[in-house]
Amino acid sequence: MKLLKLVLLLACVAASIPAGAQGPAPALNFDAANALTLPDDIYLGEVGGVATSSRGDIYVYTRTGHPTVSMATARPFAHGGSRLFQFDRNGRFTREIGAGLYGFLFAAQVRVDPQDNVWVVDEMSAMVMKFDPQGRVALLLGRKAEALNNPPRAGGAGPAGEGGGRGGGRAPGAGAPQDVFNRPTDVAWDAQGNIFVADGLGNARIAKFTKDGAFVKSWGQRGAASSEFASVNSIAVDAQGNVYAADAGNQRIQVFDNNGTFKSEIKGVGNAQAICMTPGPNQVLYVSNSNPPTDIDIAGEITKMRLDGTMIGKFGKAGKLPKEFGTVNAIDCRSESTLYVGEIGNFRVQKVTMK
Amino acid sequence: MPRYLACTFAALLLTLFLTAVSATAQQKATITGVADIPFTSVPNFLKLPPGESLGESVAVATDSKGHIFVYHRRDTTRLFEFDRNGSFLKEIGKGYYGFEFAHSVRVDKDDNIWTVDEGTNLVTKFSPEGKVLMVLGRRPPAVDGPVVFPAGPNPPSQKYILCRPTDVGWDPQGNIFVSDGYCNNRIVKYDKNGRFVAQAGSEKAGTGLGEFNLPHGLQVDERGNVWVADRTNNRYQVLDNNLKPIREITNLGVGWTLCISPGPHQYVFHSNSNPNGNAPGTWETTGEIYKTELDGTVIGKFGKPGKVTPGFQVVHMMDCRNPNEIVLGEIESWRVQKFILQPESRTATH
């Protein structure tokens, strides 16, 4: 029995050994160009998210306009600051979705699910908003704080708080067992439609919901050990239902099974601010080692790797020119050879063609 | 007291304090015996569509076609384009994330339009068609809450983060120079691709050569020298292309803004702008604009403050693409005037 335990332990240790993202990295040939044609009265700001649908439509969730605090009332209320745009497969502007929407404050991410529903994550309203393909609100997770500087509720829910976990004796960043987020960053689904929310920068956890939005569980807290996060910046779920969470502050990607049990980690990925997993059957990961907005002279490359962390190659660097990247916050990789990359620093989306 | 109220109150006090300081710090130019340049004013030559108006017209520039760009503080900060006759053509940057509190607009030799916004801390390069080509700096993220001007010393300057920047210019090679600004006190040089090269000054204000106290306006001459209106030091500084100081100009009053005309024979226009608030006596002692040679020889002066044209209310920016036709943007009268100079009749030898 003891021997069996030992074997199991060794197996677990082996599974958690970093699989080699820090291996040799051949340079991948690529080209990149501005992906979008904008009408004269539409401007992108910082691109939080970019995603494509099965029909090739391109969705962009961007921090733009004039984020506003109204002051004539008992409390200061936050309005505006982000917009959701749709473009066709050629990058031509199609329409705006949800203009003036209550939850559009500070764009974090947009993702499109297998049924072509459009999911928007807003870091400041702390909401995840699902739109059907017609652009109607279909499901909401989280609730926008009523006003700025609201004291966080149990688990922490201020729009810009120091982090949750103040209620219920839970660990820092663990949040509350409910759909109350603190600076969420991303969303993903498994094959059954279960929803996984990266929550995110204020909290340090992953929250799982059924496809109908009922809370299932959450895991993680702030820290550097396994199943702990400095931050959860980006998330993806593979065809088997395993959850890949980019923990940029710890420069790693952690892999969990569908119920949140730690399986392994991929180390040495740098500031993994955006990850994307291609659809099956031979899935690969793209991981951006995004440069900080304060410096374009470091980092910025995107790495392509297998799901076990084996390096395939890397491309790009930080900068402001075409084929350079300014703090990548989003990658769409519906096609392994054609990516859409959204940038915080350069107010643009580039279409990247792998050669 | 809620934090935001405390912050608002503190900001109000700071504003009152700064207003008082600027009124007393305003200096009469020490130069004397400068000839007056005769001029005629073309007031309100910009024709706006019905229902439109200008706000604080802090920034004006023209392109090679004579189009006039006005970057002004209205309901939000907005950028308007007019043709050479002053007819409204279009608005650029409607709803743009980098527009919150206008400070400067300049047009480069390829007719790209550059805006400097001290509300968002962004410098933006627009194509002649009005598409964003490059962004310098970063707007403070709304998710971090309202920004409070820090009490005490400015935080350390950073290569790629600006702090209430004021102006932009380029040398003939396309290197980019930014005056930065109200909460840094430095000049930053970037290459044409937006990569940091060097800076003069720092976050700290100073009075030595190569130090600044509110660098408020910037232009680059054809030799690549960088001219800075060093406002609170009541002077202009000339730096070489690597930002080493060459000399200072201390006899032309406050260094509010300046303009350098293009072409083989360049002139420099310096505005000893009257201070905001129109304190008694200031109209008599400030407000004139000096025309000089690059070597500092003063050619003449023109203009004076007033609410009614051809007086002006705190000239914030000048366009001098044609050195005999100066387009003036004013803060307090929400107005753009064109001054047609008659330099030949009274110009000193040069």
Side-chain angles (χ1 to χ4, degrees):
Chain A
M1 194 62 197
K2 269 185 181 174
L3 185 66
L4 184 61
K5 270 186 182 170
L6 184 66
V7 169
L8 277 174
L9 184 68
L10 283 175
C12 290
V13 169
S16 65
I17 285 173
Q22 60 275 70
L28 301 176
N29 287 326
F30 76 110
D31 207 349
N34 198 358
L36 306 175
T37 306
L38 293 154
D40 284 346
D41 60 347
I42 298 278
Y43 286 84
L44 297 187
E46 297 182 345
V47 173
V50 58
T52 60
S53 74
S54 67
R55 296 177 309 174
D57 290 325
I58 306 161
Y59 297 89
V60 177
Y61 190 39
T62 178
R63 303 163 189 167
T64 189
H66 309 287
T68 301
V69 176
S70 58
M71 294 180 284
T73 48
R75 296 171 294 168
F77 298 100
H79 308 274
S82 287
R83 297 168 77 179
L84 176 61
F85 298 128
Q86 182 181 334
F87 301 82
D88 70 15
R89 62 187 316 118
N90 299 314
R92 290 187 201 292
F93 181 82
T94 310
R95 62 172 172 165
E96 177 169 9
I97 296 171
L101 208 77
Y102 186 64
F104 281 7
L105 297 181
F106 196 79
Q109 199 52 262
V110 60
R111 301 273 192 180
V112 178
D113 71 17
Q115 292 74 44
D116 278 347
N117 299 298
V118 181
W119 295 68
V120 165
V121 183
D122 191 282
E123 187 180 327
M124 188 171 177
S125 72
M127 295 189 71
V128 177
M129 295 160 268
K130 173 188 179 184
F131 298 84
D132 67 21
Q134 288 71 46
R136 290 180 295 249
V137 173
L139 182 82
L140 298 173
L141 297 175
R143 185 186 176 216
K144 175 183 170 181
E146 290 186 4
L148 285 181
N149 305 324
N150 255 18
R153 283 182 277 168
E162 279 302 302
R166 295 190 207 181
R170 291 170 67 91
Q178 56 188 125
D179 63 328
V180 175
F181 307 120
N182 192 338
R183 304 183 69 165
T185 54
D186 203 357
V187 64
W189 319 269
D190 63 19
Q192 287 69 48
N194 292 306
I195 306 159
F196 298 85
V197 175
D199 175 34
L201 300 180
N203 284 329
R205 65 162 183 171
I206 293 164
K208 178 181 178 181
F209 303 86
T210 68
K211 66 178 170 49
D212 296 323
F215 180 85
V216 177
K217 68 184 299 184
S218 69
W219 68 89
Q221 63 183 64
R222 201 168 311 286
S226 297
S227 296
E228 296 180 346
F229 304 95
S231 52
V232 192
N233 301 68
S234 190
I235 192 170
V237 179
D238 70 16
Q240 284 71 48
N242 298 308
V243 180
Y244 294 66
D247 178 9
N250 289 322
Q251 306 211 347
R252 65 180 177 180
I253 294 168
Q254 295 190 65
V255 186
F256 305 90
D257 74 11
N258 196 265
N259 293 310
T261 303
F262 177 83
K263 293 182 72 174
S264 63
E265 66 179 357
I266 304 169
K267 282 186 170 175
V269 294
N271 183 44
Q273 190 164 330
I275 66 173
C276 183
M277 190 181 291
T278 58
N282 298 309
Q283 295 186 285
V284 298
L285 263 178
Y286 286 100
V287 180
S288 172
N289 175 20
S290 303
N291 65 296
T294 52
D295 198 345
I296 65 170
D297 299 324
I298 54 173
E301 77 280 6
I302 295 173
T303 299
K304 181 180 182 181
M305 62 182 71
R306 303 191 201 289
L307 296 197
D308 64 2
T310 309
M311 181 82 75
I312 298 172
K314 58 173 67 176
F315 63 95
K317 64 171 183 171
K320 295 177 182 293
L321 294 175
K323 292 188 70 172
E324 296 179 341
F325 301 117
T327 311
V328 169
N329 200 64
I331 302 172
D332 176 89
C333 60
R334 183 173 292 272
S335 153
E336 188 175 330
S337 58
T338 304
L339 313 180
Y340 290 89
V341 176
E343 299 165 65
I344 299 275
N346 295 328
F347 294 6
R348 69 182 176 193
V349 172
Q350 292 191 77
K351 183 177 183 177
V352 171
T353 310
M354 307 304 297
K355 291 180 170 174
Chain B
M1 189 170 0
R3 193 181 62 165
Y4 71 93
L5 273 183
C7 297
T8 308
F9 188 61
L12 190 66
L13 282 178
L14 188 68
T15 306
L16 288 171
F17 173 73
L18 289 177
T19 306
V21 167
S22 71
T24 53
Q26 192 77 24
Q27 282 196 352
K28 185 177 188 300
T30 54
I31 192 169
T32 55
V34 179
D36 284 313
I37 301 174
F39 67 93
T40 52
S41 164
V42 188
N44 302 318
F45 71 108
L46 300 178
K47 299 166 201 64
L48 287 148
E52 278 297 357
S53 60
L54 297 178
E56 291 190 337
S57 301
V58 292
V60 291
T62 61
D63 69 8
S64 65
K65 299 190 289 281
H67 290 190
I68 302 144
F69 299 86
V70 182
Y71 187 43
H72 60 110
R73 303 167 181 164
R74 197 175 178 277
D75 47 347
T76 62
T77 271
R78 296 167 74 176
L79 175 60
F80 289 173
E81 180 178 357
F82 301 85
D83 71 14
R84 60 185 309 120
N85 300 314
S87 297
F88 179 85
L89 284 178
K90 68 176 188 211
E91 176 169 6
I92 294 171
K94 190 173 174 55
Y96 174 57
Y97 191 60
F99 286 1
E100 206 58 63
F101 201 64
H103 202 272
S104 171
V105 63
R106 303 274 189 184
V107 176
D108 69 20
K109 62 179 166 51
D110 302 315
D111 279 348
N112 299 302
I113 308 144
W114 297 64
T115 56
V116 181
D117 190 280
E118 63 141 310
T120 60
N121 293 343
L122 290 181
V123 175
T124 306
K125 176 187 184 182
F126 293 89
S127 71
E129 296 75 35
K131 302 297 184 189
V132 174
L133 296 179
M134 187 189 287
V135 180
L136 297 171
R138 190 185 187 205
R139 179 178 182 144
V143 70
D144 292 336
V147 173
V148 180
F149 197 83
N154 292 328
S157 62
Q158 298 174 276
K159 286 189 291 186
Y160 292 102
I161 301 293
L162 305 171
C163 197
R164 297 181 65 191
T166 54
D167 210 349
V168 65
W170 318 270
D171 66 16
Q173 289 71 44
N175 292 303
I176 305 159
F177 298 84
V178 177
S179 51
D180 175 41
Y182 282 86
C183 39
N184 283 321
N185 288 283
R186 64 171 179 170
I187 307 300
V188 195
K189 177 182 180 179
Y190 299 98
D191 73 12
K192 63 182 165 60
N193 300 325
R195 288 200 185 269
F196 179 92
V197 177
Q199 73 174 35
S202 67
E203 72 279 4
K204 296 186 186 68
T207 57
L209 283 180
E211 298 178 333
F212 306 91
N213 193 346
L214 181 44
H216 191 255
L218 177 148
Q219 288 270 266
V220 184
D221 67 25
E222 292 288 341
R223 294 176 297 194
N225 291 333
V226 181
W227 295 61
V228 181
D230 187 9
R231 180 172 141 187
T232 304
N233 281 333
N234 293 302
R235 67 177 177 184
Y236 300 85
Q237 289 194 64
V238 186
L239 316 174
D240 73 12
N241 195 257
N242 297 313
L243 304 182
K244 283 211 166 55
I246 298 172
R247 63 192 169 93
E248 60 178 350
I249 301 164
T250 58
N251 61 349
L252 300 181
V254 71
W256 198 286
T257 185
L258 79 170
C259 183
I260 302 179
S261 65
H265 190 144
Q266 297 190 282
Y267 298 98
V268 188
F269 296 85
H270 311 71
S271 178
N272 182 24
S273 306
N274 65 299
N276 288 310
N278 297 297
T282 53
W283 286 12
E284 286 70 42
T285 53
T286 64
E288 74 282 11
I289 294 167
Y290 293 93
K291 179 183 182 182
T292 75
E293 301 283 2
L294 285 183
D295 68 7
T297 307
V298 178
I299 298 168
K301 65 177 170 41
F302 60 93
K304 64 176 188 177
K307 298 279 183 185
V308 178
T309 60
F312 39 60
Q313 282 291 287
V314 194
V315 170
H316 193 270
M317 199 156 169
M318 302 173 282
D319 177 89
C320 60
R321 184 177 290 270
N322 177 344
N324 297 322
E325 274 192 22
I326 312 300
V327 183
L328 302 169
E330 303 170 46
I331 302 184
E332 292 196 14
S333 285
W334 302 359
R335 183 168 61 198
V336 174
Q337 293 187 64
K338 187 193 287 184
F339 274 25
I340 299 172
L341 308 186
Q342 298 161 359
E344 305 311 328
S345 59
R346 297 287 289 276
T347 297
T349 54
H350 60 273

